[in-house]
Amino acid sequence: QQPVQSPQAVILREGEDAVINCSSSKALYSVHWYRQKHGEAPVFLMILLKGGEQKGHEKISASFNEKKQQSSLYLTASQLSYSGTYFCGTQGQETSGSRLTFGEGTQLTVNP
Amino acid sequence: GAGVSQSPSNKVTEKGKDVELRCDPISGHTALYWYRQSLGQGLEFLIYFQGNSAPDKSGLPSDRFSAERTGGSVSTLTIQRTQQEDSAVYLCASSRDSAMGTQYFGPGTRLLVL
């Protein structure tokens, strides 16, 4: 089943913070976050594993609540380069290999 | 190679014709995936190859779609008797292994069926 992302879209001013959520109705093993700029391929941001710690990279970090089957992506002090569509991809505990099921995406726009 | 490559980058075809889309994964990556992305939509899983195992074809939308992977490397996605609703960007990704590997995406093939 496809994970649900919220919000669908968000508009920020440079320097503001944002949170993007990803929820699943089934038990998850991992959550992957990707960012896609218009006309380009998705680019990997980070992966969160069941039982793992919160991940972070500079001003982008994420958490994974196993009990609620939810993950959140935190963007702090946003930069213009953060604009794009953010997708979460989930791997269920029963899914073979590393097949991911992606959410519909959250469109983030950062304005000057 | 340095990354996943796909060809052609753009393809315009007439309804009813067959098309072949090619994917060259990153050297050494054993897992390969095909996704479809319609305009403004998310990523729809199509098919997944892992080494010599039988592919996971559960995402293929109809029997007009098929894919193969030769020699554990290059993959070809074939769409027979194309329909207008097949128009989309077809993305290929590869990962080092099947165990939660990071997926690296190619630039995609933009297919337009007239």
Side-chain angles (χ1 to χ4, degrees):
Chain A
Q1 280 183 320
Q2 186 177 38
V4 176
Q5 289 187 233
S6 62
Q8 290 185 324
V10 58
I11 300 175
L12 302 174
R13 284 200 168 178
E14 200 172 5
E16 292 182 336
D17 302 340
V19 180
I20 300 172
N21 299 303
C22 174
S23 328
S24 175
S25 58
K26 61 180 184 180
L28 297 178
Y29 187 86
S30 68
V31 180
H32 303 225
W33 285 97
Y34 288 80
R35 177 172 61 207
Q36 185 179 31
K37 293 185 178 290
H38 182 69
E40 300 180 8
V43 174
F44 173 78
L45 293 176
M46 64 187 73
I47 178 174
L48 297 106
L49 306 177
K50 180 180 178 181
E53 300 177 353
Q54 180 167 334
K55 290 287 190 71
H57 176 66
E58 295 184 348
K59 296 178 181 177
I60 299 176
S61 62
S63 62
F64 179 19
N65 186 322
E66 298 165 32
K67 289 184 179 180
K68 293 185 177 180
Q69 308 304 330
Q70 291 178 349
S71 178
S72 295
L73 186 71
Y74 307 94
L75 301 103
T76 58
S78 59
Q79 305 170 14
L80 297 177
S81 61
Y82 288 2
S83 292
T85 301
Y86 289 77
F87 292 98
C88 68
T90 58
Q91 182 187 15
Q93 293 186 17
E94 78 290 351
T95 305
S96 63
S98 60
R99 173 186 168 178
L100 296 177
T101 304
F102 286 92
E104 290 284 342
T106 295
Q107 188 172 349
L108 178 74
T109 304
V110 181
N111 293 320
Chain B
V4 178
S5 61
Q6 292 186 244
S7 60
S9 53
N10 292 282
K11 177 71 176 179
V12 180
T13 190
E14 294 179 348
K15 178 181 172 181
K17 296 284 180 72
D18 299 350
V19 295
E20 284 190 352
L21 312 180
R22 177 187 167 104
C23 172
D24 280 273
I26 294 173
S27 178
H29 280 193
T30 61
L32 186 147
Y33 315 79
W34 283 99
Y35 296 91
R36 179 170 69 175
Q37 188 173 34
S38 301
L39 187 61
Q41 300 299 309
L43 298 162
E44 176 189 3
F45 167 80
L46 297 177
I47 188 169
Y48 155 57
F49 296 90
Q50 170 56 54
N52 296 321
S53 302
D56 177 355
K57 304 179 181 180
S58 59
L60 295 178
S62 77
D63 58 8
R64 296 186 295 105
F65 288 72
S66 63
E68 62 177 19
R69 189 179 184 192
T70 54
S73 181
V74 172
S75 177
T76 302
L77 177 69
T78 302
I79 308 174
Q80 295 178 310
R81 305 181 302 282
T82 53
Q83 303 294 313
Q84 289 182 333
E85 60 263 29
D86 298 335
S87 297
V89 176
Y90 289 81
L91 290 161
C92 174
S94 70
S95 66
R96 186 178 302 277
D97 55 44
S98 63
M100 307 159 295
T102 299
Q103 294 187 22
Y104 296 89
F105 283 83
T109 293
R110 286 157 183 77
L111 176 66
L112 177 61
V113 182
L114 300 176

